[in-house]
Amino acid sequence: MRLMKEYINNPVNNLRKALNVLNEGISEPEVFKKFPDLEEPLKIGIQANCILLMCDLSPFSDITKNWEPKQIKDFLDIYYAEMVEIITSYGGIVEKYIGDAILAVFGEPFAEKTTKETLLRTFNAAQDLTVAVERAFGGEVELKTAITFGSCFFGYTGHREHRELTIIGTPLTELFRLENACPSGAIIMPAVLFNNIRSEIRILPPYSNYHVEWFISNDTLQLKGVGSVPVNIFMRTDTLP
């Protein structure tokens, strides 16, 4: 998180230095070089049982309200690079950037099977992402992260003039709804998933040295467009000792 923190502290003076280091170590996305067997199947489309993770900064607008658009773009390049490094270290594949939000896929179709171990890796990635943002922003901005699981379509959509590799499915809708309900600094996921790994998770202490607790919310969420069954959720919270 060194480059991101430097840019936040002094975006003008540190921009050239940060981008020079960034350009030395970051290349263009090369998913098909990493997964050449998927190039042809994705032209038709693949149905896969996957774990989805979405994270975004909150409140991002507070630190960028006085920045020029080019400054925001340069910061996001640094932010993306450092967050993607964490995601890929746990076996995740970044599918899309949406503003300051990052959508990532764990398990199928980029792995033979989506397992309990895949879910545990996704959860630990979410914790590392949360702590990384705490370190970079010192609590001024926090990360919101949602995780869910289900069957999705992976393939190309759109007019021939603009074809885009994308994900379609109810789990994606659920992910967006969960992320929208997630408090700043928290990780949110359906309780049915969390219960599968609850006894095996490792709790990372946040940068702020707060005490970390996991709890099931007292409320259930009725997620619009997902179904009629409310979703029980587990969330991470930081409370002063």
Side-chain angles (χ1 to χ4, degrees):
M1 291 293 109
R2 178 178 59 84
L3 296 181
M4 188 162 64
K5 191 170 184 178
E6 285 184 359
Y7 191 84
I8 295 165
N9 290 338
N10 198 328
V12 176
N13 292 343
N14 288 308
L15 173 60
R16 186 181 300 277
K17 178 173 63 175
L19 289 181
N20 283 342
V21 175
L22 176 68
N23 291 332
E24 289 174 4
I26 302 299
S27 62
E28 294 295 321
E30 297 182 332
V31 172
F32 291 133
K33 287 186 178 180
K34 194 172 183 181
F35 303 97
D37 294 343
L38 291 180
E39 187 165 5
E40 289 303 317
L42 283 171
K43 290 179 180 178
I44 301 171
I46 299 172
Q47 196 78 16
N49 294 316
C50 61
I51 296 171
L52 302 177
L53 177 149
M54 183 177 181
C55 61
D56 73 330
L57 299 172
S58 178
F60 182 60
S61 58
D62 282 6
I63 66 164
T64 60
K65 60 186 177 183
N66 296 320
W67 291 9
E68 295 295 326
K70 182 62 164 58
Q71 286 181 282
I72 297 174
K73 180 269 180 190
D74 290 332
F75 167 75
L76 286 174
D77 281 346
I78 296 168
Y79 166 71
Y80 292 150
E82 298 190 2
M83 300 296 271
V84 169
E85 184 176 346
I86 294 173
I87 291 169
T88 56
S89 72
Y90 284 96
I93 298 297
V94 171
E95 196 276 335
K96 194 181 297 293
Y97 303 128
I98 311 168
D100 63 292
I102 299 173
L103 174 62
V105 181
F106 291 77
E108 300 176 17
F110 304 105
E112 185 175 344
K113 193 173 182 181
T114 303
T115 64
K116 176 181 175 180
E117 193 273 334
T118 309
L119 178 59
L120 186 61
R121 282 191 283 106
T122 307
F123 185 87
N124 287 333
Q127 290 202 102
D128 279 356
L129 293 168
T130 301
V131 172
V133 168
E134 287 175 345
R135 287 175 174 161
F137 289 92
E140 182 181 357
V141 177
E142 296 180 298
L143 199 68
K144 298 168 56 176
T145 307
I147 299 170
T148 195
F149 165 82
S151 180
C152 293
F153 170 85
F154 290 77
Y156 287 91
T157 60
H159 189 272
R160 64 178 180 274
E161 295 294 330
H162 182 77
R163 300 284 283 170
E164 184 172 301
L165 185 61
T166 190
I167 302 174
I168 300 172
T170 300
L172 189 62
T173 303
E174 180 178 83
L175 187 74
F176 278 97
R177 299 290 187 265
L178 287 171
E179 186 277 335
N180 187 59
C182 187
S184 298
I187 301 168
I188 187 172
M189 63 194 300
V192 66
L193 292 182
F194 188 76
N195 286 336
N196 283 324
I197 58 172
R198 189 172 190 174
S199 63
E200 300 178 44
I201 64 171
R202 58 180 179 85
I203 294 295
L204 292 179
Y207 179 70
S208 55
N209 292 320
Y210 285 3
H211 174 63
V212 180
E213 295 180 346
W214 280 96
F215 68 100
I216 186 169
S217 67
N218 293 324
D219 299 325
T220 56
L221 295 179
Q222 188 73 49
L223 301 178
K224 183 179 179 182
V226 175
S228 59
V229 180
V231 177
N232 292 314
I233 56 171
F234 277 88
M235 298 188 297
R236 170 187 188 273
T237 183
D238 301 334
T239 56
L240 286 169

